[in-house]
């Protein structure tokens, strides 16, 4: 290598290092600026308990961690590209930074609207579903686009000025990549943990949204993400250790979840006998969280009718949904089915043979129907229902004239509101009644972002009056007026529907099951478990006594209990083996949990596991109390035990859809054919 070439090479490295220092300084400055904007936006739109200055401080620390994890590899790449073509390297890096901040602001606006960190769940939805969700939410409107445009414009000007007009000394230009290298080699990302703030919203608010997205995506695409301990089978293989329910698995090598039926009928003591097979009406309420439902709700009671109904019902106040989104509710409630990779409905190329209340009871003469105000194709629901032989799938495309749709938002609408949906159900189900017993499944939509309801002013006034009646600090609720108003609207819609149904002849022979698919995320979560904490209500004139239960039960437990009740009281022959995840509702009045319950936060994030009185969320362990208030604890041995049990379950879950079956074909054919 000639001395001239060496001199040119050194000159290029010096110049590119100085230029990169300017670009890096601009990037960090605008990374900080974006976080400050986000914190101020969050403080303006939502109630915060921490100080704004404190949140900004922690947010900037998170940004600094993210910056240091990127600088050294970016510096190396930039210098290498600068050697052949300096202008190309500069233009390419500037373009990458612009794209990064556009993406960062999309994540920022998404979180500010939904209060949910967008991560690998993005990969679990189709393009049409993403457009529908984002468009309906209104998270990207004129003002956000204007702010982003101004931000990007000033960013480009700053990058040009910092990199071309300022001569950064070589020692400074090399110091930042050197610090970054040291940070990476010493595992700085894992050593400097994020602080635990007073609630989940604030803990998520301070996080760098791109960093969270990349981490979630890496975990999702990492083929070795299930790190199964070789001793995992020592923990709950038969779910019989330490007081947990025991399950006897038949052939896990071929059918991961196939087990002998528990045959535990806990509902018969509460019901009077009847010669006629009962009808089942499932009312699954979008976003119905326990945090604002019924007596003792941590955020106050905004469902006066459901509160009164639960007092005439079997009521599980510590119910758990199985996911933080709607995608799992039908398979979980109706079939107690595992999730597979992106939700049971999304198993490719087709949903595998399985048992559920729908197909098992169809073979016994039941007529099944599904009512939804939106598009039943969303989340693969129609796919699941068709696989289960549901003849009547009534969604927005089937509503006749005379029904009013939810007003559009940005040209998008979720369909028909709850009052219209339940009115349609009452009118249509009466026409479809052919004298056979029925399973009707109703999924509501009004309590979904953007929370547009009919009679807006009426329910706004009811909301304000509700605040006064409960004597709460109104300032903590007014930012969420449209959310709480929609809950009151949904509660009223159910009240009207039940009131009308009571006039029907078949009311005396009907069992209603009411629950939420998950908790509304747009009202800040008070804890990690809050996302899944929902009421489970079984109401019927067939009840001979009512009760409230404190024991934890989940959506996985609903179908097994209802089927065992039918089998023991109506001589229905049902299979002695199944692949249900749950083993039945727990009718213990005292607080306890004898179940192991996996909870899938999004289609791609299976990070929660409840085992006994403990809740494992990602890498954090919590202890639950009788009111489902959780406290973070440090117990390495207990954490390892729960993690091993969780990993074992995840391993089995991942095998579904990858060649292994849910149920033997012989059992499926015998018990689901008419």
């Amino acid at each position: 290598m000639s001395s001239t070439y060496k001199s040119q090479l050194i000159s290029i490295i010096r110049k590119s290092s100085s230029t990169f220092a300017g670009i890096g300084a601009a990037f960090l400055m605008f990374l900080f600026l974006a976080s400050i904007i986000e914190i101020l936006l969050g403080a303006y739109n939502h109630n915060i308990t921490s100080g704004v200055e404190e949140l900004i401080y922690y947010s900037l620390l998170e940004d600094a961690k993210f910056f240091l994890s990127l600088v050294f590899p970016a510096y190396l790449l930039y210098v290498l590209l600068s050697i052949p073509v300096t202008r190309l390297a500069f233009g390419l890096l500037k373009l990458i930074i612009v794209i990064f901040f556009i993406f960062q602001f999309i994540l920022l606006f998404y979180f500010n609207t939904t209060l949910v960190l967008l991560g690998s769940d993005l990969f679990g939805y189709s393009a049409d579903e993403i457009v529908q969700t984002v468009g309906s939410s209104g998270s990207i409107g004129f003002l956000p686009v204007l702010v982003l445009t101004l931000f990007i414009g000033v960013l480009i000007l700053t990058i040009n000025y910092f990199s071309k007009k300022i001569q950064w000394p070589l020692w400074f230009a090399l110091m930042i990549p050197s610090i970054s290298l040291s940070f990476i080699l010493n595992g700085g990302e894992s050593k400097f943990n994020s602080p635990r703030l007073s609630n989940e919203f604030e803990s998520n608010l301070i996080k760098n949204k791109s960093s969270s997205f990349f981490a979630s995506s890496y975990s999702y695409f990492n083929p070795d993400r299930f790190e199964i301990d070789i001793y995992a089978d020592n923990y709950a293989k038969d779910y019989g250790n330490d007081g947990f329910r025991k399950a006897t698995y038949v052939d896990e090598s071929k059918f991961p979840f196939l087990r002998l039926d528990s045959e535990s009928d806990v509902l018969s003591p509460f019901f009077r006998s009847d010669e006629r097979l009962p009808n089942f009406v499932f009312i699954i309420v979008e976003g119905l969280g326990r945090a604002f439902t019924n007596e003792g709700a941590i955020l106050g009671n905004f469902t006066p009718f459901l509160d009164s109904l639960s007092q005439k019902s079997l009521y599980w106040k510590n119910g758990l949904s199985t996911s933080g989104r709607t995608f799992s509710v039908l398979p979980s409630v109706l079939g107690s089915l595992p999730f597979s990779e992106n939700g049971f409905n999304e198993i490719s190329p087709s949903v595998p043979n399985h048992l559920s209340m729908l197909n098992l009871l169809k073979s016994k003469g039941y007529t099944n129907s599904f009512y939804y105000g939106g598009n039943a194709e969303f989340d693969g629901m129609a796919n699941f229902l068709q696989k289960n032989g549901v003849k009547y799938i009534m969604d927005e495309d089937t509503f006749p004239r005379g029904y009013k749709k939810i007003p559009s938002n940005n040209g998008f609408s979720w369909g028909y509101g709850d009052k219209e949906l339940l009115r349609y159900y009452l009118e249509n189900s009466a026409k479809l009644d052919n004298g056979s017993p029925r399973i009707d499944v109703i999924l509501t939509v009004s309590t979904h972002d953007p929370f547009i309801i009919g009679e807006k002013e009426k329910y706004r006034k009811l909301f304000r009056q509700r605040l006064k009646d409960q004597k709460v600090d109104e300032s903590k609720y007014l930012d969420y007026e449209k959310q709480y108003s929609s809950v009151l609207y949904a509660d009223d819609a159910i009240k009207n529907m039940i009131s009308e149904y009571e006039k029907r002849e078949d009311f005396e022979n009907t069992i209603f099951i009411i629950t939420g698919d998950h908790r509304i995320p747009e009202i800040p979560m008070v804890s990690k478990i809050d996302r899944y904490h929902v009421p489970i209500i079984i109401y019927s004139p067939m009840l001979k006594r009512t009760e409230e239960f404190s024991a934890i039960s989940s959506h996985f437990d609903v179908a097994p209990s209802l089927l065992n009740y039918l089998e023991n009281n109506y001589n229905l022959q049902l299979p002695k083996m199944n692949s249900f995840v749950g083993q039945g509702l727990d009718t213990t009045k005292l607080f306890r949990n004898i179940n192991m319950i996996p909870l899938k936060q999004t289609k791609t994030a299976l990070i929660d596991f409840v085992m006994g009185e403990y809740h494992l969320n990602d890498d954090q362990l919590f202890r639950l109390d009788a009111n489902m208030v959780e406290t973070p604890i440090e117990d390495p041995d207990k954490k390892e035990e729960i993690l091993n049990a969780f990993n074992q379950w995840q391993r089995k879950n991942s095998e579904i859809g990858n060649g292994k079956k849910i149920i033997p074909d012989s059992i499926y054919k015998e018990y689901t054919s008419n």
Side-chain angles (χ1 to χ4, degrees):
M1 182 183 295
S2 66
S3 59
T4 301
Y5 184 77
K6 284 183 180 180
S7 177
Q8 290 176 344
L9 184 60
I10 292 172
S11 176
I12 291 173
I13 293 174
R14 284 176 176 270
K15 185 176 180 181
S16 61
S17 296
S18 177
T19 302
F20 182 84
I23 298 173
F27 177 80
L28 181 60
M29 184 174 78
F30 278 80
L31 194 64
F32 285 167
L33 178 60
S35 289
I36 292 171
I37 292 173
E38 180 180 14
I39 298 299
L40 294 177
L41 192 63
Y44 177 77
N45 289 325
H46 306 285
N47 296 311
I48 59 172
T49 56
S50 304
V52 172
E53 298 84 357
E54 180 184 9
L55 293 176
I56 290 176
Y57 170 75
Y58 286 129
S59 180
L60 298 188
L61 284 181
E62 293 293 305
D63 287 341
K65 286 166 52 180
F66 179 61
F67 176 76
L68 289 174
S69 67
L70 290 178
V71 168
F72 180 74
Y75 169 75
L76 277 185
L77 184 61
Y78 182 78
V79 171
L80 290 173
L81 288 175
S82 296
I83 293 173
V85 188
T86 303
R87 292 181 63 183
L88 174 64
F90 178 77
L92 183 61
L93 183 56
K94 186 163 67 172
L95 176 63
I96 290 172
I97 290 175
V98 169
I99 293 173
F100 167 83
F101 275 107
I102 292 174
F103 185 63
Q104 176 83 339
F105 266 81
I106 290 174
L107 296 176
L108 184 157
F109 289 134
Y110 179 85
F111 175 76
N112 185 66
T113 301
T114 66
L115 306 190
V116 174
L117 291 170
L118 184 61
S120 60
D121 49 314
L122 179 68
F123 308 114
Y125 291 90
S126 67
D128 289 342
E129 289 174 332
I130 293 170
V131 170
Q132 170 72 25
T133 303
V134 174
S136 299
S137 71
S139 56
I140 301 181
F142 173 75
L143 185 58
V145 171
L146 177 62
V147 171
L148 176 58
T149 302
L150 292 174
F151 185 94
I152 295 298
V154 177
L155 169 67
I156 293 172
L157 292 174
T158 304
I159 289 175
N160 290 337
Y161 181 81
F162 276 26
S163 59
K164 295 180 179 180
K165 300 296 183 181
I166 300 177
Q167 285 295 112
W168 301 88
L170 184 61
W171 67 266
F172 178 81
L174 295 177
M175 180 183 68
I176 301 301
S178 299
I179 294 174
S180 171
L181 177 61
S182 177
F183 181 82
I184 294 170
L185 293 178
N186 288 285
E189 185 72 24
S190 59
K191 287 184 177 180
F192 297 96
N193 295 323
S194 302
R196 296 174 189 168
L197 299 180
S198 58
N199 56 59
E200 185 183 10
F201 166 64
E202 292 177 17
S203 296
N204 287 336
L205 179 62
I206 66 171
K207 290 181 179 178
N208 182 284
K209 303 305 178 284
S210 291
S211 178
S212 296
F213 177 84
F214 296 146
S216 175
S217 300
Y218 173 78
S219 176
Y220 175 65
F221 288 109
N222 178 14
D224 300 319
R225 62 187 182 276
F226 303 131
E227 298 179 2
I228 308 299
D229 190 296
I230 61 173
Y231 299 109
D233 287 350
N234 290 337
Y235 299 109
K237 179 179 176 64
D238 60 0
Y239 287 62
N241 298 322
D242 300 325
F244 294 106
R245 280 177 169 166
K246 183 177 181 179
T248 304
Y249 291 99
V250 178
D251 188 354
E252 291 181 90
S253 63
K254 294 180 180 178
F255 307 96
F257 289 97
L258 184 64
R259 61 174 175 81
L260 296 179
D261 184 59
S262 66
E263 300 184 353
S264 176
D265 176 19
V266 298
L267 296 181
S268 288
F270 299 95
F271 282 87
R272 60 174 172 79
S273 59
D274 197 305
E275 294 182 359
R276 299 171 297 170
L277 284 166
N279 300 316
F280 294 98
V281 178
F282 289 85
I283 305 175
I284 301 172
V285 185
E286 171 70 42
L288 184 67
R290 181 67 178 87
F292 42 79
T293 303
N294 291 10
E295 183 181 355
I298 195 168
L299 295 178
N301 182 359
F302 291 89
T303 55
F305 173 71
L306 287 181
D307 186 21
S308 64
L309 190 71
S310 67
Q311 296 171 29
K312 299 183 288 184
S313 307
L314 303 180
Y315 168 48
W316 286 263
K317 68 176 185 178
N318 289 329
L320 290 176
S321 68
T322 56
S323 66
R325 294 291 194 184
T326 310
F327 66 89
S328 82
V329 70
L330 297 184
S332 296
V333 170
L334 300 170
S336 191
L337 291 159
F339 305 116
S340 188
E341 189 69 18
N342 293 329
F344 190 82
N345 297 351
E346 306 284 351
I347 296 178
S348 179
S350 62
V351 174
N353 291 341
H354 61 274
L355 301 178
S356 74
M357 281 192 68
L358 297 172
N359 57 26
L360 284 170
L361 296 187
K362 182 184 179 184
S363 69
K364 306 300 180 184
Y366 271 77
T367 298
N368 301 334
S369 63
F370 175 72
Y371 291 81
Y372 180 51
N375 181 0
E377 298 288 341
F378 199 89
D379 277 337
M381 292 187 294
N383 188 30
F384 172 79
L385 295 165
Q386 289 163 359
K387 179 69 176 180
N388 279 272
V390 177
K391 183 177 180 180
Y392 302 107
I393 301 178
M394 319 303 290
D395 67 357
E396 62 180 347
D397 291 336
T398 70
F399 278 69
R401 291 183 179 181
Y403 292 87
K404 189 176 180 180
K405 257 190 172 183
I406 297 172
S408 64
N409 189 43
N410 292 332
F412 296 89
S413 172
W414 277 111
Y416 293 86
D418 294 358
K419 285 191 176 182
E420 296 291 82
L421 170 66
L422 293 172
R423 179 166 70 92
Y424 179 45
Y425 163 71
L426 287 168
E427 294 178 358
N428 200 65
S429 62
K431 297 176 185 177
L432 297 178
D433 189 0
N434 58 5
S436 63
R438 303 187 330 272
I439 299 178
D440 299 329
V441 182
I442 306 165
L443 176 60
T444 72
V445 75
S446 291
T447 38
H448 190 292
D449 183 46
F451 306 100
I452 298 174
I453 58 174
E455 304 172 277
K456 177 181 176 181
E457 188 60 26
K458 171 184 174 180
Y459 289 99
R460 187 191 71 83
K461 290 180 179 178
L462 285 175
F463 164 67
R464 298 294 180 107
Q465 185 60 49
R466 195 75 184 163
L467 293 179
K468 292 179 181 178
D469 293 343
Q470 297 188 90
K471 299 178 181 179
V472 297
D473 182 357
E474 295 187 10
S475 64
K476 295 181 179 180
Y477 291 84
L478 295 180
D479 287 338
Y480 312 104
E481 181 176 83
K482 63 180 183 178
Q483 286 90 340
Y484 285 113
S485 296
S486 74
V487 172
L488 285 163
Y489 165 85
D491 184 68
D492 222 16
I494 297 171
K495 176 183 178 181
N496 295 342
M497 179 267 191
I498 296 292
S499 177
E500 288 300 313
Y501 202 109
E502 288 175 347
K503 301 174 184 177
R504 293 168 50 151
E505 292 183 5
D506 60 345
F507 170 68
E508 292 298 323
N509 195 44
T510 299
I511 298 173
F512 298 87
I513 300 94
I514 304 173
T515 189
D517 58 348
H518 56 82
R519 200 269 232 189
I520 291 175
E522 286 81 4
I523 299 173
M525 304 288 178
V526 296
S527 65
K528 299 291 185 181
I529 201 67
D530 188 17
R531 182 184 307 275
Y532 310 100
H533 191 190
V534 297
I536 299 175
I537 301 169
I538 296 181
Y539 166 69
S540 175
M542 297 172 63
L543 287 171
K544 60 186 180 183
R545 65 187 179 97
T546 63
E547 196 61 77
E548 177 181 301
F549 309 109
S550 293
I552 294 176
S553 292
S554 78
H555 284 171
F556 287 131
D557 299 312
V558 175
S561 282
L562 294 175
L563 288 170
N564 282 329
Y565 163 72
L566 287 175
E567 184 175 30
N568 290 339
N569 290 274
Y570 297 91
N571 295 319
L572 294 185
Q573 296 300 311
L574 297 175
K576 298 304 179 185
M577 289 189 292
N578 58 55
S579 289
F580 295 157
V581 174
Q583 297 194 67
L585 297 161
D586 188 349
T587 52
T588 302
K589 294 175 65 174
L590 298 177
F591 175 74
R592 71 170 185 175
N593 178 31
I594 56 175
N595 301 297
M596 297 187 182
I597 310 169
L599 307 170
K600 200 165 177 45
Q601 184 169 307
T602 65
K603 284 187 178 182
T604 59
L606 181 54
I607 60 173
D608 290 280
F609 193 66
V610 174
M611 177 173 163
E613 61 183 5
Y614 298 95
H615 171 210
L616 181 69
N617 170 260
D618 207 359
D619 195 45
Q620 177 64 55
L621 186 63
F622 299 88
R623 189 193 298 272
L624 300 167
D625 70 11
N627 296 311
M628 297 297 274
V629 174
E630 57 185 9
T631 305
I633 64 170
E634 296 293 336
D635 188 337
D637 292 338
K638 177 59 68 175
K639 181 177 177 181
E640 181 183 8
E641 176 188 352
I642 295 173
L643 183 60
N644 282 329
F646 187 24
N647 282 341
Q648 183 196 12
W649 196 93
Q650 289 186 82
R651 179 182 59 189
K652 294 170 64 173
N653 179 68
S654 67
E655 292 171 347
I656 301 299
N658 290 331
K660 294 191 178 180
K661 296 183 177 182
I662 295 285
I663 198 85
D665 291 340
S666 58
I667 295 178
Y668 177 76
K669 291 177 182 178
E670 180 180 356
Y671 288 95
T672 63
S673 59
N674 288 321

